[in-house]
Amino acid sequence: QVQLVESGGGLVQPGGSLRLSCAASKTIFSIDFMGWYRQAPGKQRDMVATIGTGGIINYADSVKGRFTISRDNAKNMVYLQMNSLKPEDTAVYYCQIRGDYYPNYQRSLTTFDSWGQGTRVTVSS
């Protein structure tokens, strides 16, 4: 299986910036879909930003113009650059990657759909 680990969260003042990273435990042959989601206490987990097949990018209206999703295929990393942070951005952020990889000692690709454990972002003065 492919495991994902998020990092880069922390405490930041309103107007500040953070860069979240999502590292995959295996080399990914192809990515069909990837995204960032967030969940505040007592609330639903919401989509923040996604990249689908063909590089189509979608952002939640609440983060457009402030957040940027990107990936580095060579490093098996996914990023979320967050600028002009607001208190309402406070949440646990999760990454998701759906794609194919080569399991150890096997020639055939295997499909995976993995979620990270989350990294907490707190925006407060």
Side-chain angles (χ1 to χ4, degrees), residues 8-111:
L11 176 64
V12 65
Q13 292 186 332
S17 298
L18 285 174
R19 188 196 194 199
L20 305 184
S21 299
C22 176
S25 64
K26 301 284 187 179
T27 298
I28 302 171
F29 180 80
S30 63
I31 295 177
D32 299 319
F33 181 90
M34 69 181 206
W36 286 93
Y37 304 78
R38 66 186 181 187
Q39 186 171 21
K43 296 185 178 180
Q44 179 183 352
R45 183 175 298 187
D46 296 323
M47 185 274 288
V48 175
T50 62
I51 301 179
T53 302
I56 299 175
I57 301 177
N58 289 300
Y59 292 99
D61 289 340
S62 59
V63 307
K64 286 182 178 178
R66 300 188 298 120
F67 291 9
T68 303
I69 185 172
S70 62
R71 67 184 182 187
D72 187 334
N73 292 333
K75 298 181 179 180
N76 299 296
M77 299 282 288
V78 179
Y79 305 100
L80 183 69
Q81 179 66 46
M82 306 185 295
N83 299 324
S84 302
L85 284 163
K86 304 175 181 179
E88 50 263 44
D89 296 319
T90 296
V92 176
Y93 285 71
Y94 302 87
C95 68
Q96 179 204 14
I97 301 178
R98 184 173 68 237
D100 298 327
Y101 78 107
Y102 284 106
N104 292 339
Y105 311 112
Q106 297 185 23
R107 293 184 176 183
S108 300
L109 286 168
T110 297
T111 300

Side-chain angles (χ1 to χ4, degrees), residues 1-5 23-26 114-115:
Q1 61 179 2
V2 177
Q3 295 179 321
L4 306 180
V5 179
S25 64
K26 301 284 187 179
S114 298
W115 289 80

